[in-house]
Amino acid sequence: MSERIFILPLWIRLWHWSNAVLMLVLTVTGVSLHFASPDAPLVPFRLSVMLHNNAGLAVAGLYVVFVVANIVSGNWWQYVPKPDGFFERCWRQTRFYAYGIFRGEHHPYPPTLEANFNALQQIIYWVVMYLLMPLLIVSGLVFMWPDLAPKRAFGVDGLLPVAVLHYMVGAMIVAFMVAHIYLGTTGTRVSSLFKMMVTGWHEE
């Protein structure tokens, strides 16, 4: 008999799926703006700019909601890596993802009410949500209002380092999204973790 625990309140699920849709829009339009041929864009240029800017503003607004809601609800604690045996837990989790899962081993640290995330998730999610996302949002806002950029930085036009930072952070977040979607298939069943993000219930 499977065990069920409710670990994801409605606000987290709504934020997650809204953010996911917006990040996909940002990814497609960002790739189109950077790499697509002018003669054959993934998305027409003017439409890409409009969608990218509006989705970026929406992500910035949702990020403020995320931070405030985490503080108010106390959910911020889930993102803080716990020092006791941290590196050992990270190693066990990495080994499970890279090797143990293919041998049918049990998850070393399944989600609980006290700890929704394993140690590896905690450090990665902390970096993504509290380091990379602010950098992505701030650099994107500077792009939308270039007068906010310094006139010169590192001996070049001040907007160029902002552009490089925005691109690099965006690429890292896209890589995280791909890994995140794959790891979403590593539950008890392929659909288990996706279902949890819809219902809030984790089944073990």
Side-chain angles (χ1 to χ4, degrees):
M1 180 180 295
S2 63
E3 180 183 352
R4 298 173 77 237
I5 54 173
F6 186 78
I7 62 174
L8 294 176
L10 180 61
W11 76 265
I12 291 180
R13 288 175 278 142
L14 290 175
W15 169 83
H16 178 274
W17 290 115
S18 300
N19 196 66
V21 170
L22 290 169
M23 293 304 294
L24 286 175
V25 171
L26 288 172
T27 299
V28 172
T29 55
V31 168
S32 185
L33 290 169
H34 274 279
F35 301 111
S37 166
D39 299 324
L42 293 175
V43 183
F45 181 80
R46 289 183 181 275
L47 181 59
S48 283
V49 172
M50 183 192 72
L51 289 174
H52 201 81
N53 288 346
N54 288 332
L57 289 173
V59 164
L62 277 178
Y63 184 75
V64 173
V65 171
F66 170 82
V67 172
V68 172
N70 267 284
I71 294 171
V72 171
S73 67
N75 191 63
W76 64 272
W77 181 247
Q78 297 286 352
Y79 290 84
V80 178
K82 311 306 185 290
D84 186 30
F86 175 74
F87 292 106
E88 179 185 352
R89 286 182 284 121
C90 280
W91 167 246
R92 287 190 64 190
Q93 192 65 48
T94 302
R95 180 189 175 281
F96 172 75
Y97 285 144
Y99 176 75
I101 192 171
F102 302 108
R103 294 173 56 87
E105 295 179 8
H106 292 292
H107 199 295
Y109 303 103
T112 64
L113 287 174
E114 295 74 24
N116 293 0
F117 304 139
N118 60 59
L120 199 59
Q121 289 174 319
Q122 284 178 329
I123 190 65
I124 291 174
Y125 290 170
W126 188 92
V127 168
V128 169
M129 294 310 303
Y130 292 107
L131 179 61
L132 296 184
M133 282 298 293
L135 287 174
L136 185 73
I137 290 169
V138 170
S139 60
L141 292 175
V142 172
F143 251 126
M144 293 182 68
W145 288 280
D147 289 343
L148 296 174
K151 297 298 181 184
R152 303 284 294 178
F154 305 106
V156 297
D157 183 279
L159 202 55
L160 181 58
V162 176
V164 172
L165 176 66
H166 192 71
Y167 172 81
M168 291 179 63
V169 173
M172 286 187 281
I173 289 180
V174 170
F176 163 78
M177 288 168 56
V178 172
H180 187 62
I181 292 169
Y182 162 68
L183 293 175
T185 68
T186 62
T188 307
R189 294 180 297 277
V190 171
S191 62
S192 295
L193 297 181
F194 296 106
K195 182 180 178 182
M196 177 186 70
M197 191 51 71
V198 172
T199 66
W201 288 91
H202 172 73
E203 295 184 8
E204 184 65 32

